[in-house]
Amino acid sequence: NHCGYLCSIKLPTGSIDRGRGIWKFNIRHLADKELEEKLKQKWQYWVQLKRNFQTHIEWWLNIKHKIKSLLKSYSWERNNARKQYKEFLYAVLRDLYKKETTHLQDTITIKQIKAKLLKLNTEEQKGVQIRARTTEVLEENTTIFHHIREQKRTKRKYINKIVDNDGITLTTQDEIREEIRMYFKQLYSATGQTPHNQSFSSITQEMLQIEDLGHNLTPDEVKQAIDTCPQNKSPGEDGLPVEFY
């Protein structure tokens, strides 16, 4: 998988409309009180629109597009304002360094501007951290992020010990491989009634409660599902991660 690969790609002639890719809401904005107030105000109005739809699903699909538009607009405004603010700070910093004589107040101002720039850069670095889905804030280098993620994946897949049927812990790789091989050999060569089959055969229709499986979802079940969803995961097509809900 490390061999070189050479290929040629022919692109269609003419202009190609290239977009910015799939939008994903930056969960750092959830801590902004301004955004929270905007959502609360809009939500009161959106709830009143329920009577215009036949089902809650139709209403929600319509409102979700409005929520996405509001969040995209807010994110763009904040990012644009942050960019302009950084450019302003860098311009002031350059002017201070160009001065022939530096006073004490200028030195204090330079330190303050550097502190503000450091804070802004740290916030941007957290954005990179979120997009890379890592728990550590590292340098803005995609190679490093990729290396860290691959190390974590390797650790999750690596088996460093296993307990056999006799309760003995096996730690060497040869013992672990042999135990896994024997387990699957017995599993796929077994005939007749296995412990797994015995456990399934003891389950009756009354225990499964098939009738209850088709009932409508309750608000508590929906809330429990949302609360137990793992965070820092890729969102769906709407770009809204589980942290938003």
Side-chain angles (χ1 to χ4, degrees), residues 77-94:
E77 290 176 359
R78 288 299 305 270
N79 292 335
N80 192 40
R82 182 183 291 109
K83 181 180 179 181
Q84 292 180 356
Y85 184 51
K86 280 186 64 176
E87 292 176 352
F88 168 75
L89 291 177
Y90 277 121
V92 175
L93 199 60
R94 285 193 295 267

Side-chain angles (χ1 to χ4, degrees), residues 190-205:
T191 58
Q193 192 83 338
T194 64
H196 299 290
N197 294 332
Q198 293 175 5
S199 62
F200 281 114
S201 63
S202 63
I203 300 177
T204 62
Q205 184 173 351

Side-chain angles (χ1 to χ4, degrees), residues 30-222:
L30 292 175
D32 295 348
K33 294 298 181 181
E34 181 182 352
L35 176 60
E36 183 179 351
E37 290 300 323
K38 284 187 176 182
L39 280 173
K40 285 181 178 180
Q41 294 174 5
K42 290 289 186 180
W43 184 256
Q44 294 176 357
Y45 169 71
W46 290 334
V47 170
Q48 297 176 2
L49 298 178
K50 284 184 180 180
R51 58 179 179 267
N52 299 331
F53 297 89
Q54 295 182 354
T55 64
H56 285 79
I57 296 296
E58 293 179 1
W59 168 78
W60 170 244
L61 292 177
N62 181 272
I63 296 303
K64 189 161 63 170
H65 288 292
K66 298 181 184 298
I67 293 175
K68 181 178 178 179
S69 298
L70 187 148
L71 296 177
K72 288 181 69 174
S73 176
Y74 181 83
S75 299
W76 182 86
E77 290 176 359
R78 288 299 305 270
N79 292 335
N80 192 40
R82 182 183 291 109
K83 181 180 179 181
Q84 292 180 356
Y85 184 51
K86 280 186 64 176
E87 292 176 352
F88 168 75
L89 291 177
Y90 277 121
V92 175
L93 199 60
R94 285 193 295 267
D95 291 339
L96 289 173
Y97 278 125
K98 288 180 181 179
K99 284 187 175 182
E100 296 181 357
T101 58
T102 304
H103 302 287
L104 177 61
Q105 185 60 40
D106 294 336
T107 304
I108 297 174
T109 304
I110 290 174
K111 290 183 178 180
Q112 292 175 345
I113 292 176
K114 285 185 176 181
K116 293 178 180 178
L117 288 171
L118 178 62
K119 183 180 178 180
L120 292 173
N121 290 332
T122 302
E123 291 177 354
E124 292 180 358
Q125 200 173 44
K126 288 181 179 179
V128 176
Q129 174 192 358
I130 293 171
R131 290 189 293 273
R133 292 195 295 171
T134 180
T135 56
E136 301 178 15
V137 179
L138 302 175
E139 300 177 25
E140 295 182 17
N141 189 319
T142 55
T143 303
I144 296 178
F145 276 109
H146 177 73
H147 179 66
I148 293 296
R149 291 179 64 184
E150 288 301 317
Q151 282 185 333
K152 291 182 178 179
R153 288 176 181 174
T154 303
K155 289 181 180 179
R156 286 198 299 266
K157 297 178 181 178
Y158 183 76
I159 301 175
N160 54 14
K161 63 179 179 179
I162 194 172
V163 180
D164 62 10
N165 293 330
D166 299 327
I168 301 175
T169 302
L170 308 177
T171 56
T172 66
Q173 289 300 303
D174 291 338
E175 293 175 335
I176 292 174
R177 280 194 294 267
E178 181 62 20
E179 179 64 23
I180 294 175
R181 188 186 70 81
M182 291 300 299
Y183 171 80
F184 284 103
K185 181 180 179 181
Q186 296 174 4
L187 177 65
Y188 291 111
S189 62
T191 58
Q193 192 83 338
T194 64
H196 299 290
N197 294 332
Q198 293 175 5
S199 62
F200 281 114
S201 63
S202 63
I203 300 177
T204 62
Q205 184 173 351
E206 290 77 16
M207 294 174 62
L208 290 174
Q209 298 179 347
I210 296 178
E211 295 80 5
D212 294 337
L213 297 178
H215 68 74
N216 294 328
L217 294 175
T218 64
D220 291 337
E221 289 175 328
V222 175

